[in-house]
Amino acid sequence: MAMALLRLASASEGRAVLAAEDDFTRALGGFDRSFRMRTSAPVDDATLRQFLGEQAVDFTAEEAEAWEEAIAAVAQGARGIGGLLPREVLVVKTTGREERDHAYTRANAIVLPATRVRSLRGERAFRLLAHELFHVASRASRAFRDATYGLLGFAPVGPIAPPPELDDCRMTNPDAHGLGHYLRLGERAVVPLLTCPLPLADVLERTSVLGVVRTTLLEIDAQAGTVVRDASGAPVLLDPQATDWSRQIARNSMYTIHPEEVLADNLALLVRRRLGDARPPADPTFLAAFEQALADHSVRSSSS
């Protein structure tokens, strides 16, 4: 099956995606909403979604021409993924205010902040698109998501509800907002949870999410699908640096905040290699397994 249409969206189309209620907006906690709007005051869902929608803007003619070239490169390098995607994948430009100039995805859209739209060209542009495209495919095809997570040792579970007492420090990645896969570290089963170690008031003006967020491992009972709690009733949290977390999931990527990001980097690497980059990957065996999973699930999707 040919790759689904990947096209630049107008500001009005972007507003419709970003202002919509979806699994991501429903997953957000209080810290999440206030952090995005740079306020210490509580923010309700409707106010946040209005703010998110207002950030969508139009591409300039020069930007559109450059990013159409990047889209064409991804269409060639990501062949085989089309059957796993929604009928149409939009590329939305925003002011970047909503996610502090980070690219991300929502529903069937790849969202690019204005700073990156202006500055990225050539390989840097198509690699970013390819990375984000994995998130769209992962969201659209549970079978593909489970299979690729499985390559990293993760098994499906749940979904696990985040402990409510972590609401004042929990952060939510738009690309991986569910706690639906666990990894065994010895006898323990864990899911990655993003948190902020600092008070909200201290991070409101930070210019990067990466400078604020940290990965925390939440221990779960995989059989029961529940959070493990200690004798005092508090959820059991592990520091990844005290475990084998990074060693187990760092496959062709050091972006190990979540398996979703490692896998997205592998799609970007695969696209780059298909387009002629001869540099060998750090783990060619893993990349080959990833490419095979893509081929297997594309065939299944096309025949269903």
Side-chain angles (χ1 to χ4, degrees):
M1 179 177 177
M3 186 175 181
L5 178 62
L6 183 65
R7 70 171 179 85
L8 303 182
S10 66
S12 60
E13 290 173 316
R15 282 193 292 272
V17 172
L18 298 179
E21 180 183 10
D22 58 14
D23 288 346
F24 166 66
T25 61
R26 287 188 288 269
L28 295 175
F31 184 103
D32 281 318
R33 292 189 293 270
S34 295
F35 177 72
R36 284 174 167 84
M37 292 197 65
R38 292 175 168 82
T39 176
S40 295
V43 175
D44 62 29
D45 174 73
T47 301
L48 176 68
R49 289 195 289 111
Q50 179 180 345
F51 167 77
L52 297 178
E54 290 170 348
Q55 306 316 306
V57 294
D58 286 311
F59 289 85
T60 68
E62 186 276 330
E63 291 167 348
E65 181 179 359
W67 284 87
E68 290 287 2
E69 292 179 3
I71 286 173
V74 171
Q76 178 183 351
R79 58 188 179 276
I81 204 171
L84 304 174
L85 295 170
R87 182 183 61 82
E88 181 176 69
V89 179
L90 301 176
V91 180
V92 174
K93 175 186 172 185
T94 73
T95 66
R97 291 181 61 207
E98 76 286 7
E99 290 290 333
R100 287 168 170 75
D101 291 328
H102 291 287
Y104 62 98
T105 62
R106 285 279 305 279
N108 67 325
I110 294 171
V111 186
L112 305 176
T115 54
R116 298 200 184 192
V117 171
R118 288 193 300 267
S119 64
L120 298 188
R121 296 292 183 267
E123 179 183 331
R124 294 176 67 200
F126 74 67
R127 286 186 66 184
L128 177 60
L129 282 180
H131 175 103
E132 299 302 330
L133 192 63
F134 176 84
H135 299 314
V136 179
S138 172
R139 184 179 303 122
S141 173
R142 179 173 181 175
F144 177 60
R145 180 173 67 249
D146 288 350
T148 51
Y149 274 53
L151 297 176
L152 293 171
F154 285 79
V157 68
I160 303 294
E165 58 264 53
L166 299 181
D167 188 64
D168 61 353
C169 68
R170 181 170 60 85
M171 303 185 74
T172 302
N173 181 352
D175 300 321
H177 47 71
L179 305 181
H181 295 81
Y182 72 91
L183 178 69
R184 286 212 172 269
L185 296 174
E187 296 299 315
R188 290 174 145 165
V190 300
V191 295
L193 187 71
L194 299 183
T195 60
C196 177
L198 300 172
L200 175 62
D202 291 351
V203 298
L204 288 178
E205 298 307 318
R206 296 288 185 94
T207 58
S208 172
V209 174
L210 297 181
V212 172
V213 70
R214 73 176 180 190
T215 301
T216 301
L217 303 181
L218 176 68
E219 186 175 0
I220 67 162
D221 181 327
Q223 185 172 2
T226 57
V227 173
V228 173
R229 295 179 177 273
D230 63 21
S232 69
V236 176
L237 303 174
L238 306 176
D239 181 352
Q241 295 185 354
T243 73
D244 286 338
W245 170 263
S246 291
R247 184 185 64 80
Q248 289 195 214
I249 76 168
R251 298 291 183 265
N252 296 316
S253 172
M254 297 307 295
Y255 190 20
T256 57
I257 67 167
H258 195 282
E260 181 85 13
E261 302 298 349
V262 173
L263 295 165
D265 272 359
N266 273 271
L267 180 60
L269 175 59
L270 178 61
V271 168
R272 193 190 76 193
R273 288 180 60 79
R274 285 177 170 180
L275 294 176
D277 192 320
R279 287 173 289 181
D283 190 338
T285 301
F286 184 85
L287 185 62
F290 178 88
E291 185 172 19
Q292 187 60 54
L294 174 60
D296 290 346
H297 287 81
S298 178
V299 168
R300 292 175 192 171
S301 179
S302 297
S303 61
S304 62

